[in-house]
Amino acid sequence: MPLPTDTDVSTPKHLRDKYAIVGVGETPYTRGSGMTTRALGTWAVRNAVLDAGLTAADVDGMLSYQSGDSTFAPFIAGDLGMRLNFYMDVFGGGSSTEALMGMAMGVIEAGLCRTVVIFRAMNGYSQVRIGGTGARSAAPVSGDTLHSRAYGWQSAGQMFSFTFMRHMYDYGTTPAQVAAVRATHSAHASNNPKAYYKQRVTVEDVLASRIICKPLHLLDCCVETDNATAIIVTSAERAKDLRHPRALIRAVAGRVCKPRADMHYQAGPISTVAGRYAREILWPNAGVGPQDVDVTGSYDAFTFTTMLQLEDYGFCKKGEGGGYVSDGTIRLGGRRPNNTSGGHLCEGYTHGMNMVIENVRQLRHDVDDSCPVGPDGRRRHTYDYSEGGCRQVKSCEVTANLGWANPGTGSAMVMRRD
Amino acid sequence: MSLRVDDLDNENVAYFKHCAEHSFHLQQCGDCKLRRYPPTTACPWCMSREAGWVPVEGKGAVHSYTEVHHAIQPAFREYTPYLILLVDLDTQKGEPTADEALRVVGNLVTPDGKLAPPELVRTVGIGTRVRMVFSDVSPGLSLPQWTIDESAAQPDKPWRYPQE
């Protein structure tokens, strides 16, 4: 069996710029939504439809993913009076958003439907927590989990820590460099009224917070919240008639990168993750490279997952991720800001989707909801990114979203402004 | 924490049958001869269905680790901080590529199979030489675990997370 590096990574280029994201929607990021995941999903999908300027009759496809919670597409379609021509609910994790973008493009390309909405709904704080606390921690341990959970190796942080620890060993990466990701994202979130955590924290704050599992401190971990998000995909042609500037999809990639998608085996060093392999499809498909990207959206379940993705997708050399995330490059006002909404670390956790929504808004040039209001009552873009300032990135033309599920699977998407 | 091996999970039934006898066996592919862990029905290197069980020496070096201070599993709470180790076995290290190894998970335990106390946890890092011991966790079920290999030459200073 060939390893991923040996497989044919040439992909058809005719899908480049053929599809666009035309609507995005979400519910507030809370802890204690007070409603079901079905209700959350319904409101997020409705908000996305309205954002696009569409009606229920225009949406004929729905995709979603979950792992143990959420709701199903037919329920939400029924609640909103949608008659779907295609739907699919899959089991999935953090790399599902970008992978389902590819699926949405595929079903439209195949003629199964014309406009597809992708949603993720989760009471990720008050009900099923990804970290495995509550009911999940008491579930019987059998099968593959006898080689992980039986050893107290269960939460995402515990699972991924081996990779982080080995990266420090291999490359001399320091905890302070990685903590800079949280400090940076918290500064971004302070300009985001939607963010659950708006308070700015420093590198010292991160390092002084209690250890959860070495090398992860409490503030290295993302904020679990209750919320739903939704994204609408249609053809670039059809998108011309809609409300917003088109966020054109340059490329998507979804790749399994090891002989086994678990934490034990690797094709390559364990401090290298799936982005290293997904990028072999992503960049040639997109026709642009990391140097062309204005804004990145990493899957920041933890500070170090951001560092690893940025490194393995080629935004810096392997082993230099610690420097890249701490030298100011990823800050608002820096060369290539990352997670301008605050991401999972500060805005909220919707399993990969909220960073895509943020990048769509960056491409529309309308991330103005926190800009100062002038005497005429209108928002003023300041670009000084100080507390209470804007977070719109100047001349944002190309964005990249980097998904993460485990070190063995990676999905990513590149978009550009029309 | 309830541990069980399902009847139809033939590969794990066979694996833990050896473990119950405090004997470490891994599957070896009938075609390409590479061994693998954890147990599965197919060879991840050549897709072969054929595999047999072979004894493997439980010795190796720590490839990476995490030190858990906030336990998720209630059964581990009284033992924090505890170590989870990813150990490169000496057997088949560097195969089939230079980056590969048989990497076997386990906790750091005392020689008699009890989760290591904090003073022992603080001494182990990447590079520490370890040997396998078995912890009997319930009737008929034993887990392979790792303890410091007293007979091996240890690195001068195993690599530990810098912020202690």
Side-chain angles (χ1 to χ4, degrees):
Chain A
M1 173 182 279
L3 300 181
T5 45
D6 303 327
T7 53
D8 181 359
V9 295
S10 61
T11 50
K13 308 295 187 288
H14 69 272
L15 295 178
R16 188 184 293 167
D17 294 343
K18 196 172 173 185
Y19 295 94
I21 293 177
V22 295
V24 293
E26 60 215 312
T27 63
Y29 299 95
T30 67
R31 287 189 154 183
S33 67
M35 60 177 87
T36 61
T37 48
R38 175 169 169 170
L40 287 170
T42 298
W43 297 126
V45 169
R46 175 183 178 275
N47 291 344
V49 172
L50 295 178
D51 176 64
L54 294 170
T55 68
D58 296 312
V59 177
D60 57 359
M62 192 178 290
L63 306 173
S64 185
Y65 64 100
Q66 58 168 298
S67 52
D69 57 344
S70 193
T71 184
F72 296 101
F75 297 158
I76 290 187
D79 290 352
L80 291 171
M82 292 174 174
R83 310 243 349 231
L84 302 178
N85 296 332
F86 185 90
Y87 70 92
M88 184 64 67
D89 296 289
V90 299
F91 177 88
S95 62
S96 298
T97 310
E98 292 82 5
L100 287 184
M101 291 295 162
M103 191 169 178
M105 289 161 60
V107 297
I108 303 172
E109 183 76 10
L112 297 175
C113 46
R114 299 177 68 201
T115 301
V116 175
V117 60
I118 300 167
F119 78 91
R120 175 75 170 103
M122 55 197 295
N123 276 321
Y125 179 79
S126 64
Q127 291 185 336
V128 180
R129 297 181 68 167
I130 296 282
T133 51
R136 280 189 170 185
S137 68
V141 174
S142 63
D144 248 13
T145 59
L146 283 164
H147 309 282
S148 54
R149 289 188 185 199
Y151 296 101
W153 194 35
Q154 168 160 347
S155 71
Q158 292 165 3
M159 299 300 282
F160 300 157
S161 283
F162 289 93
T163 302
F164 185 10
M165 204 66 102
R166 188 74 194 187
H167 194 281
M168 291 188 186
Y169 173 83
D170 287 339
Y171 303 110
T173 310
T174 68
Q177 288 176 321
V178 180
V181 174
R182 176 57 175 258
T184 303
H185 291 188
S186 75
H188 297 172
S190 72
N191 290 333
N192 176 9
K194 296 185 277 97
Y196 187 81
Y197 283 143
K198 298 185 189 69
Q199 187 184 354
R200 294 188 178 205
V201 301
T202 64
V203 167
E204 291 69 34
D205 292 334
V206 178
L207 298 180
S209 64
R210 71 185 168 93
I211 289 278
I212 300 299
C213 53
K214 279 184 185 173
L216 294 173
H217 306 78
L218 180 67
L219 294 184
D220 282 306
C221 307
C222 71
V223 51
E224 294 171 292
T225 50
D226 300 341
N227 40 249
T229 41
I231 297 169
I232 297 179
V233 182
T234 194
S235 70
E237 188 60 32
R238 190 146 189 255
K240 278 183 189 167
D241 303 328
L242 299 179
R243 175 181 290 165
H244 297 289
R246 298 180 299 177
L248 294 165
I249 300 170
R250 293 291 285 181
V252 292
R255 204 162 185 221
V256 172
C257 303
K258 295 193 273 182
R260 295 188 50 172
D262 61 35
M263 305 291 170
H264 313 98
Y265 267 101
Q266 290 274 147
I270 71 162
S271 56
T272 292
V273 291
R276 166 64 187 79
Y277 305 102
R279 82 177 191 214
E280 294 176 348
I281 293 173
L282 185 74
W283 299 124
N285 208 351
V288 298
Q291 69 282 359
D292 303 307
V293 172
D294 299 308
V295 175
T296 51
S298 69
Y299 189 86
D300 57 343
F302 304 96
T303 48
F304 85 98
T305 56
T306 284
M307 180 200 69
L308 272 173
Q309 289 165 70
L310 289 168
E311 186 178 88
D312 281 338
Y313 276 99
F315 289 96
C316 61
K317 285 185 185 157
K318 186 68 196 172
E320 296 180 0
Y324 181 84
V325 298
S326 60
D327 68 4
T329 303
I330 67 168
R331 288 182 182 282
L332 276 169
R335 166 67 189 91
R336 191 174 299 109
N338 182 67
N339 288 10
T340 49
S341 66
H344 284 155
L345 286 168
C346 300
E347 182 184 47
Y349 185 87
T350 349
H351 227 164
M353 285 192 71
N354 44 322
M355 284 74 74
V356 174
I357 288 177
E358 173 71 5
N359 282 358
V360 169
R361 291 183 173 138
Q362 286 285 353
L363 291 170
R364 291 176 179 175
H365 296 178
D366 70 354
V367 187
D368 59 359
D369 47 7
S370 63
C371 295
V373 178
D376 57 358
R378 293 187 162 201
R379 297 279 182 192
R380 290 270 187 274
H381 284 283
T382 63
Y383 298 119
D384 71 353
Y385 305 124
S386 60
E387 205 150 355
C390 295
R391 68 178 202 275
Q392 175 65 53
V393 173
K394 258 184 203 170
S395 311
C396 177
E397 297 294 325
V398 180
T399 64
N401 279 96
L402 317 172
W404 168 294
N406 68 37
T409 53
S411 300
M413 173 170 65
V414 175
M415 294 183 284
R416 78 168 173 91
R417 181 179 165 87
D418 197 354
Chain B
M1 181 169 57
S2 90
L3 305 178
R4 66 168 194 232
V5 190
D6 295 332
D7 294 347
L8 297 181
D9 189 356
N10 297 319
E11 298 74 27
N12 272 311
V13 167
Y15 174 85
F16 284 104
K17 180 173 153 294
H18 291 293
C19 290
E21 296 163 0
H22 289 202
S23 169
F24 188 56
H25 281 61
L26 291 179
Q27 287 165 300
Q28 180 171 38
C29 177
D31 289 330
C32 75
K33 305 301 179 193
L34 287 170
R35 280 149 285 202
R36 63 181 185 258
Y37 168 87
T40 53
T41 58
C43 176
W45 305 108
C46 74
M47 292 204 301
S48 173
R49 293 171 52 145
E50 305 302 320
W53 291 90
V54 294
V56 174
E57 187 185 32
K59 286 198 170 181
V62 174
H63 186 81
S64 194
Y65 73 96
T66 184
E67 185 180 304
V68 180
H69 288 242
H70 178 90
I72 304 293
Q73 285 282 5
F76 283 85
R77 277 180 199 150
E78 62 181 295
Y79 298 102
T80 55
Y82 64 94
L83 276 192
I84 313 169
L85 306 176
L86 191 58
V87 173
D88 283 349
L89 295 185
D90 296 337
T91 302
Q92 202 173 292
K93 185 170 165 60
E95 293 180 73
T97 75
D99 291 311
E100 312 307 326
L102 282 168
R103 298 205 170 107
V104 177
V105 178
N107 299 118
L108 180 71
V109 297
T110 57
D112 61 351
K114 304 260 191 317
L115 279 174
E119 58 270 24
L120 193 57
V121 161
R122 283 193 289 270
T123 66
V124 170
I126 293 177
T128 300
R129 296 286 314 177
V130 290
R131 67 180 173 88
M132 187 175 282
V133 295
F134 288 87
S135 297
D136 297 320
V137 290
S138 60
L141 189 60
S142 295
L143 292 178
Q145 297 282 23
W146 296 104
T147 197
I148 295 172
D149 188 349
E150 310 88 344
S151 65
Q154 294 291 345
D156 289 343
K157 197 177 174 207
W159 186 92
R160 298 266 304 158
Y161 174 68
Q163 190 206 6
E164 295 288 353

